[in-house]
Amino acid sequence: MKVAVITVAGVSSRFNTGIEEEKKCLKAIYTEGDVQDTLLFHLLKKCGFADRIIVVGGYKFEDLKQYIAEQVSEKEKEKIRLLYNECYAGLTSGYSLYLGLEEAFRSSEPDEIVFAEGDLDIDDDSFAEAVNAAGNVLTYQCRPIRASRDVLLYQDGNGAYKYLFSSAHGLLQIQEPFSGIYNSGQLWKFADMEKLKMANRAFYEKDKSETNLLIIQEYIDRIPQEEIRTACLRQWTNCNTREDYKKIRERWRGEER
């Protein structure tokens, strides 16, 4: 069984900067026209490969629930399990992924799990190539790395994969020799369910206030390097602002022409 986990629980603070309280929204379902021109709708289409899709929400949860009820086909809704992360305001992205993985293990017996953050726009071909690659997949993007906005994926002197980022969007320092460096694409595929269960438990026991990268790092630390593949995402945008959304929407329109 193939499972996709999508997390959209965050408060969208940068996306809603300067917006009146009553006009603030969940960026995954934000639109400036066609109600299906949303990050979530496009991501759900890409996840059509999955037997089950787990969507973890929090902020503006009722709006999210209504959107799925109104815009997703009845056939696709049969695949979707919508979860509420009641700690969305107090904890970071890790707890949403933790809940999604726990639900996947509790309600099904997955052979592989694909995890995508819900504020991303990725081209269809790159997404499909990552999903269809055999085994465990870490993705990277092709644009220059900026410490203020990006997550760093690097290989240390022994070739082990490690993640590095600044929650304050400040400078980054790699404190050890490295053999490779990538700009993380924030789409992952996990193929060893027992090790993923162990990583999820370790996250909860160590510090459930950490980001989803703690779960992912706990997982890849348990996987032999030869069982990890990397895949390039040729078109990748992290939608942090409404200007980002406008650029993404223009790309969608270009694909439709």
Side-chain angles (χ1 to χ4, degrees), residues 6-36:
I6 301 171
T7 54
V8 293
V11 297
S12 309
S13 56
R14 279 184 284 176
F15 196 80
N16 288 319
T17 298
I19 305 298
E20 298 174 21
E21 189 61 37
E22 62 273 14
K23 294 182 180 179
K24 291 182 178 180
C25 67
L26 176 65
K27 67 179 170 181
I29 58 173
Y30 176 79
T31 182
E32 293 183 0
D34 187 336
V35 290
Q36 294 185 347

Side-chain angles (χ1 to χ4, degrees), residues 135-150:
N136 304 286
V137 179
L138 312 179
T139 62
Y140 64 93
Q141 45 168 313
C142 298
R143 71 181 185 182
I145 299 168
R146 298 281 183 249
S148 60
R149 72 185 182 199
D150 296 321

